[in-house]
Amino acid sequence: MKTWDAIIVGGGIIGLSLGLALRRKALQVLIVERGEPGREASHAAAGMLAGSGGEIAPPLTTLTGESARLYPQFVHELQDESGINVDLRDHGTILVSSRPDFPASAEPLSAQQLHALEPSLGLEEAKPAAGPETAFAFLGERSVDPRALVGAALNAARHLQIDISSGTEVQSVLVSEGRAVGIRTDKTSYLSEVVVNCAGAWAGSFRPYSFPVRPVKGQMLAVVRGPALRHVVRAESVYLVPRTDGRLLIGSTLEDAGFNKQTDVNTIQKLLHDAVELVPAVASSKQHEAWAGLRPGTPDGLPILGETATAGYFVATGHFREGILLAPITAALMTELILRRPSSLDLARFSPLRFFQATG
Ligand SMILES: Cc1cc2nc3c(=O)[nH]c(=O)nc-3n(C[C@H](O)[C@H](O)[C@H](O)COP(=O)(O)OP(=O)(O)OC[C@H]3O[C@@H](n4cnc5c(N)ncnc54)[C@H](O)[C@@H]3O)c2cc1C
């Protein structure tokens, strides 16, 4: 029976990026995906590479900062191996806030500077929406098109001869004498001494471990023929992410709605309304698409990265709102762990074992 050096459960951006990193180290890799690769959270994301925003929990900033630094090289390799442009944009983000609590790396903007950077985001227009104390700052962040990114990763995976089994649901990790030996799917079994759970919001739904990952729904919409924004614009209630192809993405919600991925008209209207308050020219755009995705959330807001108590069974999930950004660093760190090399960053805070402490 055929065996692989590593089996990855889940073909989202995390599983695909890790599969590619392992394959580049000459491992034989199988990715097992329940549906079609890259059609869940990674398809729904806005693609902000927001590594230094004030919302990010401190233990995570080392990972986000390092991953942001790796991004240009990560994209360069993917584009090279796939022939797909992933729209990595380098224009930066304009932060809009009613509280003067911008991250230290943000540069406050005067009304004139704001107007020069982004004429359709006038101070006078934006102030009524965000309140009289509204302030603006510039942050040197990038953005990417996550759908193009997963498309490129999938193409690159095929190009590098990674095996991909789509439409195959993993039901359990096979364990023998305390070690992982493969996986059981709805159809058959596949053998490997390394199994990595990259199943996103569903990572806790197959044996032997119920990782406490929960789906956090996010609804978004895209408009076309709206204002030609150059920058990502991020306020408290809404963000706008321009794409080079003319789409403008508007997001998003944070909802505890189980595995329901439906959008509702009121929520989409509210997002659009908030976007118009911030950038009035959005009012003349045409709605193009609305969708929802499920972010993998964890109880402490940190990802789960590391080996479980079952030798050879690893997990890389719980990336919540930062999974697109964290894909390069996750792939690099998990590759070190799987190859039993010293880790270049301390991963103790992210260990899966934190959820399975012995009691009494
Ligand atoms: C609206 C929204 C906006 C976002 N914006 C951003 C952003 O701007 N920047 C950012 O960095 N991040 C953003 N995110 C977060 C980001 O999308 C996620 O953190 C990231 O996509 C997680 O990737 P993943 O591969 O872990 O999960 P997924 O992409 O969900 O992939 C998991 C895969 O595992 C498969 N799977 C599950 N169970 C099984 C099983 N039993 N057997 C086989 N396969 C299985 C699923 O079908 C799925 O394809 C956003 C998310 C949402 C929803």
Side-chain angles (χ1 to χ4, degrees), residues 9-15 32-36 38-42 44-48 168-170 198-200 202 206 218-220 239 252 293-296 317 319-325:
V9 184
I13 193 61
I14 298 297
V32 184
E33 164 56 50
R34 192 184 52 173
E36 260 182 76
R39 300 293 297 188
E40 291 290 352
S42 305
M48 292 175 287
T168 307
E169 178 159 348
V170 173
C198 300
W202 299 266
F206 53 90
Q219 300 191 42
M220 294 196 58
Y239 57 72
S252 72
L294 302 174
R295 309 172 183 92
T317 190
H319 294 80
F320 192 40
R321 305 189 81 175
E322 284 94 32
I324 300 298
L325 168 61

mmCIF file of all heavy atoms in Angstrom, residues 9-15 32-36 38-42 44-48 168-170 198-200 202 206 218-220 239 252 293-296 317 319-325, ligand 1:
data_model
loop_
_atom_site.group_PDB
_atom_site.id
_atom_site.type_symbol
_atom_site.label_atom_id
_atom_site.label_comp_id
_atom_site.label_asym_id
_atom_site.label_seq_id
_atom_site.Cartn_x
_atom_site.Cartn_y
_atom_site.Cartn_z
ATOM 1 N N VAL A 9 -4.491 17.304 6.360
ATOM 2 C CA VAL A 9 -5.957 17.302 6.329
ATOM 3 C C VAL A 9 -6.407 18.743 6.155
ATOM 4 O O VAL A 9 -6.165 19.586 7.024
ATOM 5 C CB VAL A 9 -6.540 16.729 7.643
ATOM 6 C CG1 VAL A 9 -8.062 16.649 7.533
ATOM 7 C CG2 VAL A 9 -5.925 15.379 7.970
ATOM 8 N N GLY A 10 -7.036 19.048 5.021
ATOM 9 C CA GLY A 10 -7.538 20.396 4.771
ATOM 10 C C GLY A 10 -6.723 21.121 3.713
ATOM 11 O O GLY A 10 -5.522 21.314 3.862
ATOM 12 N N GLY A 11 -7.399 21.518 2.656
ATOM 13 C CA GLY A 11 -6.728 22.206 1.543
ATOM 14 C C GLY A 11 -7.064 23.676 1.494
ATOM 15 O O GLY A 11 -7.330 24.229 0.428
ATOM 16 N N GLY A 12 -7.051 24.352 2.662
ATOM 17 C CA GLY A 12 -7.149 25.820 2.691
ATOM 18 C C GLY A 12 -5.748 26.392 2.518
ATOM 19 O O GLY A 12 -4.793 25.668 2.209
ATOM 20 N N ILE A 13 -5.619 27.703 2.749
ATOM 21 C CA ILE A 13 -4.302 28.326 2.533
ATOM 22 C C ILE A 13 -3.261 27.756 3.492
ATOM 23 O O ILE A 13 -2.080 27.618 3.120
ATOM 24 C CB ILE A 13 -4.379 29.878 2.622
ATOM 25 C CG1 ILE A 13 -3.106 30.508 2.084
ATOM 26 C CG2 ILE A 13 -4.633 30.356 4.041
ATOM 27 C CD1 ILE A 13 -2.791 30.213 0.645
ATOM 28 N N ILE A 14 -3.673 27.357 4.691
ATOM 29 C CA ILE A 14 -2.697 26.829 5.650
ATOM 30 C C ILE A 14 -2.203 25.455 5.177
ATOM 31 O O ILE A 14 -0.992 25.215 5.107
ATOM 32 C CB ILE A 14 -3.328 26.760 7.073
ATOM 33 C CG1 ILE A 14 -3.714 28.171 7.554
ATOM 34 C CG2 ILE A 14 -2.378 26.072 8.053
ATOM 35 C CD1 ILE A 14 -2.558 29.156 7.713
ATOM 36 N N GLY A 15 -3.126 24.562 4.819
ATOM 37 C CA GLY A 15 -2.718 23.227 4.364
ATOM 38 C C GLY A 15 -1.923 23.277 3.070
ATOM 39 O O GLY A 15 -0.904 22.594 2.911
ATOM 40 N N VAL A 32 -5.579 16.010 1.799
ATOM 41 C CA VAL A 32 -6.923 15.423 1.730
ATOM 42 C C VAL A 32 -7.933 16.520 2.065
ATOM 43 O O VAL A 32 -7.865 17.132 3.138
ATOM 44 C CB VAL A 32 -7.057 14.248 2.725
ATOM 45 C CG1 VAL A 32 -8.423 13.593 2.577
ATOM 46 C CG2 VAL A 32 -5.953 13.229 2.477
ATOM 47 N N GLU A 33 -8.824 16.775 1.146
ATOM 48 C CA GLU A 33 -9.763 17.903 1.278
ATOM 49 C C GLU A 33 -11.194 17.387 1.121
ATOM 50 O O GLU A 33 -11.508 16.720 0.142
ATOM 51 C CB GLU A 33 -9.432 18.973 0.227
ATOM 52 C CG GLU A 33 -10.491 20.005 -0.017
ATOM 53 C CD GLU A 33 -10.949 20.774 1.228
ATOM 54 O OE1 GLU A 33 -10.097 21.274 1.966
ATOM 55 O OE2 GLU A 33 -12.178 20.858 1.445
ATOM 56 N N ARG A 34 -12.025 17.769 2.084
ATOM 57 C CA ARG A 34 -13.419 17.303 2.095
ATOM 58 C C ARG A 34 -14.211 17.818 0.894
ATOM 59 O O ARG A 34 -15.017 17.105 0.298
ATOM 60 C CB ARG A 34 -14.049 17.837 3.385
ATOM 61 C CG ARG A 34 -15.362 17.276 3.744
ATOM 62 C CD ARG A 34 -15.860 17.966 4.965
ATOM 63 N NE ARG A 34 -15.807 19.416 4.762
ATOM 64 C CZ ARG A 34 -16.293 20.306 5.582
ATOM 65 N NH1 ARG A 34 -16.848 19.916 6.708
ATOM 66 N NH2 ARG A 34 -16.222 21.591 5.322
ATOM 67 N N GLY A 35 -14.000 19.062 0.544
ATOM 68 C CA GLY A 35 -14.719 19.635 -0.602
ATOM 69 C C GLY A 35 -13.760 19.860 -1.746
ATOM 70 O O GLY A 35 -13.073 18.948 -2.194
ATOM 71 N N GLU A 36 -13.724 21.125 -2.200
ATOM 72 C CA GLU A 36 -12.726 21.539 -3.195
ATOM 73 C C GLU A 36 -11.666 22.339 -2.456
ATOM 74 O O GLU A 36 -12.026 23.172 -1.601
ATOM 75 C CB GLU A 36 -13.386 22.514 -4.174
ATOM 76 C CG GLU A 36 -13.820 21.946 -5.477
ATOM 77 C CD GLU A 36 -14.402 23.091 -6.299
ATOM 78 O OE1 GLU A 36 -13.629 23.914 -6.830
ATOM 79 O OE2 GLU A 36 -15.634 23.171 -6.370
ATOM 80 N N GLY A 38 -9.388 25.153 -1.043
ATOM 81 C CA GLY A 38 -9.420 26.625 -1.060
ATOM 82 C C GLY A 38 -10.774 27.257 -1.218
ATOM 83 O O GLY A 38 -10.863 28.401 -1.665
ATOM 84 N N ARG A 39 -11.837 26.585 -0.827
ATOM 85 C CA ARG A 39 -13.168 27.175 -1.015
ATOM 86 C C ARG A 39 -13.840 27.574 0.301
ATOM 87 O O ARG A 39 -15.001 27.980 0.301
ATOM 88 C CB ARG A 39 -14.091 26.179 -1.753
ATOM 89 C CG ARG A 39 -13.599 25.781 -3.117
ATOM 90 C CD ARG A 39 -13.605 26.900 -4.106
ATOM 91 N NE ARG A 39 -14.945 27.413 -4.366
ATOM 92 C CZ ARG A 39 -15.252 28.286 -5.300
ATOM 93 N NH1 ARG A 39 -14.286 28.794 -6.062
ATOM 94 N NH2 ARG A 39 -16.492 28.697 -5.476
ATOM 95 N N GLU A 40 -13.138 27.441 1.412
ATOM 96 C CA GLU A 40 -13.772 27.804 2.694
ATOM 97 C C GLU A 40 -13.246 29.162 3.159
ATOM 98 O O GLU A 40 -13.261 30.097 2.378
ATOM 99 C CB GLU A 40 -13.556 26.681 3.719
ATOM 100 C CG GLU A 40 -14.350 25.409 3.380
ATOM 101 C CD GLU A 40 -15.863 25.565 3.560
ATOM 102 O OE1 GLU A 40 -16.323 26.576 4.086
ATOM 103 O OE2 GLU A 40 -16.595 24.649 3.146
ATOM 104 N N ALA A 41 -12.765 29.253 4.412
ATOM 105 C CA ALA A 41 -12.360 30.576 4.937
ATOM 106 C C ALA A 41 -11.383 31.279 4.004
ATOM 107 O O ALA A 41 -11.461 32.493 3.795
ATOM 108 C CB ALA A 41 -11.751 30.418 6.325
ATOM 109 N N SER A 42 -10.478 30.513 3.416
ATOM 110 C CA SER A 42 -9.431 31.125 2.595
ATOM 111 C C SER A 42 -10.007 31.778 1.336
ATOM 112 O O SER A 42 -9.380 32.663 0.750
ATOM 113 C CB SER A 42 -8.372 30.080 2.223
ATOM 114 O OG SER A 42 -7.875 29.472 3.390
ATOM 115 N N ALA A 44 -12.995 33.232 1.438
ATOM 116 C CA ALA A 44 -13.866 34.318 1.914
ATOM 117 C C ALA A 44 -13.092 35.535 2.379
ATOM 118 O O ALA A 44 -13.658 36.605 2.559
ATOM 119 C CB ALA A 44 -14.733 33.798 3.068
ATOM 120 N N ALA A 45 -11.782 35.392 2.590
ATOM 121 C CA ALA A 45 -11.028 36.431 3.284
ATOM 122 C C ALA A 45 -10.864 37.701 2.459
ATOM 123 O O ALA A 45 -10.926 37.681 1.226
ATOM 124 C CB ALA A 45 -9.650 35.894 3.662
ATOM 125 N N ALA A 46 -10.621 38.798 3.186
ATOM 126 C CA ALA A 46 -10.409 40.093 2.531
ATOM 127 C C ALA A 46 -8.990 40.210 1.986
ATOM 128 O O ALA A 46 -8.753 40.890 0.999
ATOM 129 C CB ALA A 46 -10.670 41.217 3.526
ATOM 130 N N GLY A 47 -8.038 39.604 2.688
ATOM 131 C CA GLY A 47 -6.655 39.625 2.205
ATOM 132 C C GLY A 47 -5.803 40.756 2.732
ATOM 133 O O GLY A 47 -4.744 41.052 2.173
ATOM 134 N N MET A 48 -6.237 41.384 3.833
ATOM 135 C CA MET A 48 -5.368 42.393 4.448
ATOM 136 C C MET A 48 -4.228 41.667 5.154
ATOM 137 O O MET A 48 -4.457 40.691 5.875
ATOM 138 C CB MET A 48 -6.159 43.204 5.488
ATOM 139 C CG MET A 48 -7.229 44.069 4.872
ATOM 140 S SD MET A 48 -8.208 44.886 6.146
ATOM 141 C CE MET A 48 -9.165 43.514 6.782
ATOM 142 N N THR A 168 -12.966 14.276 -0.235
ATOM 143 C CA THR A 168 -12.663 13.157 0.670
ATOM 144 C C THR A 168 -12.639 13.674 2.102
ATOM 145 O O THR A 168 -11.792 14.499 2.450
ATOM 146 C CB THR A 168 -11.267 12.577 0.322
ATOM 147 O OG1 THR A 168 -11.246 12.277 -1.075
ATOM 148 C CG2 THR A 168 -10.963 11.340 1.126
ATOM 149 N N GLU A 169 -13.548 13.184 2.913
ATOM 150 C CA GLU A 169 -13.629 13.680 4.291
ATOM 151 C C GLU A 169 -12.845 12.787 5.244
ATOM 152 O O GLU A 169 -13.063 11.572 5.288
ATOM 153 C CB GLU A 169 -15.091 13.727 4.730
ATOM 154 C CG GLU A 169 -15.219 14.196 6.156
ATOM 155 C CD GLU A 169 -16.586 14.735 6.487
ATOM 156 O OE1 GLU A 169 -17.386 14.959 5.554
ATOM 157 O OE2 GLU A 169 -16.852 14.916 7.684
ATOM 158 N N VAL A 170 -11.953 13.383 6.002
ATOM 159 C CA VAL A 170 -11.197 12.618 7.003
ATOM 160 C C VAL A 170 -12.088 12.393 8.214
ATOM 161 O O VAL A 170 -12.698 13.334 8.737
ATOM 162 C CB VAL A 170 -9.904 13.369 7.401
ATOM 163 C CG1 VAL A 170 -9.201 12.673 8.560
ATOM 164 C CG2 VAL A 170 -8.975 13.476 6.197
ATOM 165 N N CYS A 198 -4.990 20.595 9.336
ATOM 166 C CA CYS A 198 -5.132 21.989 8.876
ATOM 167 C C CYS A 198 -6.584 22.212 8.454
ATOM 168 O O CYS A 198 -6.855 22.801 7.401
ATOM 169 C CB CYS A 198 -4.205 22.276 7.701
ATOM 170 S SG CYS A 198 -2.456 22.046 8.031
ATOM 171 N N ALA A 199 -7.511 21.687 9.262
ATOM 172 C CA ALA A 199 -8.915 21.656 8.847
ATOM 173 C C ALA A 199 -9.697 22.895 9.265
ATOM 174 O O ALA A 199 -10.930 22.882 9.285
ATOM 175 C CB ALA A 199 -9.582 20.382 9.363
ATOM 176 N N GLY A 200 -9.012 23.978 9.603
ATOM 177 C CA GLY A 200 -9.684 25.261 9.853
ATOM 178 C C GLY A 200 -10.737 25.141 10.943
ATOM 179 O O GLY A 200 -10.507 24.527 11.993
ATOM 180 N N TRP A 202 -13.126 23.361 11.255
ATOM 181 C CA TRP A 202 -13.586 21.986 11.478
ATOM 182 C C TRP A 202 -12.514 21.120 12.157
ATOM 183 O O TRP A 202 -12.674 19.906 12.285
ATOM 184 C CB TRP A 202 -13.977 21.346 10.136
ATOM 185 C CG TRP A 202 -15.084 22.063 9.452
ATOM 186 C CD1 TRP A 202 -16.423 21.771 9.524
ATOM 187 C CD2 TRP A 202 -14.980 23.212 8.593
ATOM 188 N NE1 TRP A 202 -17.147 22.673 8.787
ATOM 189 C CE2 TRP A 202 -16.283 23.571 8.208
ATOM 190 C CE3 TRP A 202 -13.918 23.984 8.139
ATOM 191 C CZ2 TRP A 202 -16.548 24.659 7.373
ATOM 192 C CZ3 TRP A 202 -14.174 25.071 7.312
ATOM 193 C CH2 TRP A 202 -15.473 25.396 6.939
ATOM 194 N N PHE A 206 -12.886 15.688 14.190
ATOM 195 C CA PHE A 206 -12.590 14.264 13.961
ATOM 196 C C PHE A 206 -11.606 13.744 14.997
ATOM 197 O O PHE A 206 -10.838 14.513 15.573
ATOM 198 C CB PHE A 206 -12.134 13.998 12.509
ATOM 199 C CG PHE A 206 -10.993 14.862 12.039
ATOM 200 C CD1 PHE A 206 -9.682 14.459 12.211
ATOM 201 C CD2 PHE A 206 -11.242 16.081 11.423
ATOM 202 C CE1 PHE A 206 -8.636 15.250 11.772
ATOM 203 C CE2 PHE A 206 -10.195 16.885 10.982
ATOM 204 C CZ PHE A 206 -8.891 16.462 11.165
ATOM 205 N N GLY A 218 -18.037 35.433 9.110
ATOM 206 C CA GLY A 218 -17.805 36.788 8.607
ATOM 207 C C GLY A 218 -18.530 36.964 7.292
ATOM 208 O O GLY A 218 -18.339 36.173 6.365
ATOM 209 N N GLN A 219 -19.396 37.996 7.222
ATOM 210 C CA GLN A 219 -20.068 38.311 5.955
ATOM 211 C C GLN A 219 -19.341 39.475 5.293
ATOM 212 O O GLN A 219 -18.837 40.374 5.970
ATOM 213 C CB GLN A 219 -21.525 38.712 6.199
ATOM 214 C CG GLN A 219 -22.345 37.629 6.862
ATOM 215 C CD GLN A 219 -23.843 37.940 6.848
ATOM 216 O OE1 GLN A 219 -24.386 38.413 5.845
ATOM 217 N NE2 GLN A 219 -24.500 37.647 7.956
ATOM 218 N N MET A 220 -19.320 39.456 3.967
ATOM 219 C CA MET A 220 -18.660 40.507 3.192
ATOM 220 C C MET A 220 -19.410 40.751 1.899
ATOM 221 O O MET A 220 -20.223 39.923 1.490
ATOM 222 C CB MET A 220 -17.229 40.075 2.797
ATOM 223 C CG MET A 220 -16.307 39.927 3.953
ATOM 224 S SD MET A 220 -14.591 39.897 3.431
ATOM 225 C CE MET A 220 -14.426 41.439 2.596
ATOM 226 N N TYR A 239 -14.342 47.818 6.901
ATOM 227 C CA TYR A 239 -13.105 48.080 6.156
ATOM 228 C C TYR A 239 -13.360 47.940 4.663
ATOM 229 O O TYR A 239 -14.311 47.248 4.248
ATOM 230 C CB TYR A 239 -11.950 47.176 6.621
ATOM 231 C CG TYR A 239 -12.192 45.680 6.556
ATOM 232 C CD1 TYR A 239 -12.233 44.992 5.356
ATOM 233 C CD2 TYR A 239 -12.345 44.940 7.724
ATOM 234 C CE1 TYR A 239 -12.442 43.624 5.305
ATOM 235 C CE2 TYR A 239 -12.553 43.557 7.695
ATOM 236 C CZ TYR A 239 -12.595 42.912 6.487
ATOM 237 O OH TYR A 239 -12.799 41.557 6.433
ATOM 238 N N SER A 252 -16.396 43.547 7.642
ATOM 239 C CA SER A 252 -17.007 42.239 7.695
ATOM 240 C C SER A 252 -17.644 42.097 9.060
ATOM 241 O O SER A 252 -17.473 42.951 9.906
ATOM 242 C CB SER A 252 -15.954 41.144 7.469
ATOM 243 O OG SER A 252 -15.115 41.038 8.603
ATOM 244 N N GLY A 293 -17.882 33.466 5.282
ATOM 245 C CA GLY A 293 -16.927 32.381 5.537
ATOM 246 C C GLY A 293 -16.779 32.180 7.029
ATOM 247 O O GLY A 293 -17.221 33.006 7.833
ATOM 248 N N LEU A 294 -16.149 31.075 7.392
ATOM 249 C CA LEU A 294 -16.024 30.699 8.802
ATOM 250 C C LEU A 294 -14.564 30.718 9.230
ATOM 251 O O LEU A 294 -13.771 29.862 8.827
ATOM 252 C CB LEU A 294 -16.621 29.297 8.998
ATOM 253 C CG LEU A 294 -18.089 29.175 8.577
ATOM 254 C CD1 LEU A 294 -18.549 27.719 8.659
ATOM 255 C CD2 LEU A 294 -18.991 30.072 9.424
ATOM 256 N N ARG A 295 -14.239 31.707 10.064
ATOM 257 C CA ARG A 295 -12.867 31.796 10.579
ATOM 258 C C ARG A 295 -12.672 30.762 11.682
ATOM 259 O O ARG A 295 -13.565 30.568 12.501
ATOM 260 C CB ARG A 295 -12.614 33.181 11.182
ATOM 261 C CG ARG A 295 -12.968 34.350 10.300
ATOM 262 C CD ARG A 295 -12.837 35.624 11.134
ATOM 263 N NE ARG A 295 -13.224 36.810 10.395
ATOM 264 C CZ ARG A 295 -14.456 37.324 10.384
ATOM 265 N NH1 ARG A 295 -15.430 36.727 11.058
ATOM 266 N NH2 ARG A 295 -14.711 38.419 9.704
ATOM 267 N N PRO A 296 -11.487 30.170 11.750
ATOM 268 C CA PRO A 296 -11.242 29.248 12.857
ATOM 269 C C PRO A 296 -10.817 30.007 14.116
ATOM 270 O O PRO A 296 -9.696 30.500 14.204
ATOM 271 C CB PRO A 296 -10.108 28.353 12.334
ATOM 272 C CG PRO A 296 -9.470 29.104 11.206
ATOM 273 C CD PRO A 296 -10.387 30.212 10.772
ATOM 274 N N THR A 317 -3.864 25.262 13.090
ATOM 275 C CA THR A 317 -5.167 25.883 12.826
ATOM 276 C C THR A 317 -5.426 27.009 13.830
ATOM 277 O O THR A 317 -4.530 27.429 14.549
ATOM 278 C CB THR A 317 -6.302 24.848 12.838
ATOM 279 O OG1 THR A 317 -7.485 25.487 12.344
ATOM 280 C CG2 THR A 317 -6.587 24.306 14.237
ATOM 281 N N HIS A 319 -6.276 30.168 13.123
ATOM 282 C CA HIS A 319 -5.659 31.428 12.675
ATOM 283 C C HIS A 319 -6.641 32.597 12.640
ATOM 284 O O HIS A 319 -6.273 33.710 12.264
ATOM 285 C CB HIS A 319 -5.017 31.243 11.295
ATOM 286 C CG HIS A 319 -3.853 30.310 11.296
ATOM 287 N ND1 HIS A 319 -4.008 28.936 11.277
ATOM 288 C CD2 HIS A 319 -2.533 30.530 11.330
ATOM 289 C CE1 HIS A 319 -2.808 28.368 11.292
ATOM 290 N NE2 HIS A 319 -1.899 29.306 11.329
ATOM 291 N N PHE A 320 -7.863 32.335 12.968
ATOM 292 C CA PHE A 320 -8.909 33.351 13.169
ATOM 293 C C PHE A 320 -8.908 34.413 12.060
ATOM 294 O O PHE A 320 -9.149 34.080 10.907
ATOM 295 C CB PHE A 320 -8.749 33.962 14.571
ATOM 296 C CG PHE A 320 -9.915 34.789 15.014
ATOM 297 C CD1 PHE A 320 -11.218 34.392 14.747
ATOM 298 C CD2 PHE A 320 -9.730 35.990 15.721
ATOM 299 C CE1 PHE A 320 -12.302 35.155 15.165
ATOM 300 C CE2 PHE A 320 -10.810 36.755 16.142
ATOM 301 C CZ PHE A 320 -12.078 36.332 15.858
ATOM 302 N N ARG A 321 -8.593 35.668 12.382
ATOM 303 C CA ARG A 321 -8.697 36.746 11.389
ATOM 304 C C ARG A 321 -7.399 36.968 10.625
ATOM 305 O O ARG A 321 -7.285 37.904 9.845
ATOM 306 C CB ARG A 321 -9.077 38.073 12.074
ATOM 307 C CG ARG A 321 -10.320 37.999 12.903
ATOM 308 C CD ARG A 321 -10.766 39.369 13.378
ATOM 309 N NE ARG A 321 -11.503 40.073 12.340
ATOM 310 C CZ ARG A 321 -12.091 41.252 12.503
ATOM 311 N NH1 ARG A 321 -12.007 41.869 13.647
ATOM 312 N NH2 ARG A 321 -12.754 41.823 11.505
ATOM 313 N N GLU A 322 -6.385 36.126 10.884
ATOM 314 C CA GLU A 322 -5.056 36.408 10.310
ATOM 315 C C GLU A 322 -4.481 35.268 9.495
ATOM 316 O O GLU A 322 -3.266 35.231 9.269
ATOM 317 C CB GLU A 322 -4.076 36.744 11.444
ATOM 318 C CG GLU A 322 -4.233 38.117 12.030
ATOM 319 C CD GLU A 322 -5.121 38.125 13.258
ATOM 320 O OE1 GLU A 322 -5.116 37.115 13.987
ATOM 321 O OE2 GLU A 322 -5.836 39.106 13.473
ATOM 322 N N GLY A 323 -5.311 34.313 9.092
ATOM 323 C CA GLY A 323 -4.764 33.117 8.443
ATOM 324 C C GLY A 323 -4.089 33.365 7.103
ATOM 325 O O GLY A 323 -3.132 32.679 6.746
ATOM 326 N N ILE A 324 -4.572 34.360 6.365
ATOM 327 C CA ILE A 324 -3.922 34.648 5.070
ATOM 328 C C ILE A 324 -2.534 35.215 5.360
ATOM 329 O O ILE A 324 -1.532 34.778 4.795
ATOM 330 C CB ILE A 324 -4.773 35.637 4.242
ATOM 331 C CG1 ILE A 324 -6.176 35.054 3.970
ATOM 332 C CG2 ILE A 324 -4.056 36.015 2.940
ATOM 333 C CD1 ILE A 324 -6.236 33.781 3.174
ATOM 334 N N LEU A 325 -2.493 36.162 6.286
ATOM 335 C CA LEU A 325 -1.201 36.744 6.666
ATOM 336 C C LEU A 325 -0.253 35.682 7.239
ATOM 337 O O LEU A 325 0.936 35.659 6.929
ATOM 338 C CB LEU A 325 -1.432 37.845 7.718
ATOM 339 C CG LEU A 325 -0.182 38.367 8.428
ATOM 340 C CD1 LEU A 325 0.783 38.993 7.436
ATOM 341 C CD2 LEU A 325 -0.564 39.373 9.500
HETATM 342 C C1 LIG B 1 -14.881 37.339 6.039
HETATM 343 C C2 LIG B 1 -13.457 36.978 6.354
HETATM 344 C C3 LIG B 1 -12.448 37.902 6.178
HETATM 345 C C4 LIG B 1 -11.119 37.577 6.470
HETATM 346 N N1 LIG B 1 -10.152 38.487 6.213
HETATM 347 C C5 LIG B 1 -8.846 38.165 6.444
HETATM 348 C C6 LIG B 1 -7.822 39.087 6.134
HETATM 349 O O1 LIG B 1 -8.087 40.197 5.652
HETATM 350 N N2 LIG B 1 -6.524 38.715 6.376
HETATM 351 C C7 LIG B 1 -6.212 37.507 6.921
HETATM 352 O O2 LIG B 1 -5.012 37.229 7.124
HETATM 353 N N3 LIG B 1 -7.185 36.600 7.214
HETATM 354 C C8 LIG B 1 -8.480 36.906 6.999
HETATM 355 N N4 LIG B 1 -9.476 36.014 7.305
HETATM 356 C C9 LIG B 1 -9.121 34.782 8.010
HETATM 357 C C10 LIG B 1 -8.618 33.725 7.063
HETATM 358 O O3 LIG B 1 -9.525 33.574 6.007
HETATM 359 C C11 LIG B 1 -8.473 32.380 7.810
HETATM 360 O O4 LIG B 1 -7.754 32.545 9.015
HETATM 361 C C12 LIG B 1 -7.740 31.370 6.926
HETATM 362 O O5 LIG B 1 -8.342 31.297 5.658
HETATM 363 C C13 LIG B 1 -7.738 30.002 7.583
HETATM 364 O O6 LIG B 1 -7.186 29.111 6.647
HETATM 365 P P1 LIG B 1 -7.325 27.549 6.857
HETATM 366 O O7 LIG B 1 -6.598 26.886 5.753
HETATM 367 O O8 LIG B 1 -6.948 27.216 8.270
HETATM 368 O O9 LIG B 1 -8.893 27.281 6.805
HETATM 369 P P2 LIG B 1 -9.887 27.014 5.528
HETATM 370 O O10 LIG B 1 -9.568 27.904 4.392
HETATM 371 O O11 LIG B 1 -11.253 27.046 6.092
HETATM 372 O O12 LIG B 1 -9.454 25.557 5.118
HETATM 373 C C14 LIG B 1 -9.745 24.418 5.901
HETATM 374 C C15 LIG B 1 -10.063 23.306 4.911
HETATM 375 O O13 LIG B 1 -10.199 22.066 5.625
HETATM 376 C C16 LIG B 1 -11.206 21.311 4.984
HETATM 377 N N5 LIG B 1 -11.695 20.298 5.922
HETATM 378 C C17 LIG B 1 -12.374 20.504 7.076
HETATM 379 N N6 LIG B 1 -12.653 19.332 7.679
HETATM 380 C C18 LIG B 1 -12.126 18.360 6.899
HETATM 381 C C19 LIG B 1 -12.098 16.941 6.986
HETATM 382 N N7 LIG B 1 -12.649 16.274 8.031
HETATM 383 N N8 LIG B 1 -11.488 16.235 5.995
HETATM 384 C C20 LIG B 1 -10.922 16.896 4.928
HETATM 385 N N9 LIG B 1 -10.921 18.252 4.803
HETATM 386 C C21 LIG B 1 -11.517 18.969 5.770
HETATM 387 C C22 LIG B 1 -12.259 22.375 4.632
HETATM 388 O O14 LIG B 1 -13.146 21.882 3.631
HETATM 389 C C23 LIG B 1 -11.393 23.539 4.199
HETATM 390 O O15 LIG B 1 -11.160 23.555 2.796
HETATM 391 C C24 LIG B 1 -10.808 36.295 6.989
HETATM 392 C C25 LIG B 1 -11.831 35.352 7.143
HETATM 393 C C26 LIG B 1 -13.136 35.677 6.835
HETATM 394 C C27 LIG B 1 -14.211 34.640 6.985
#
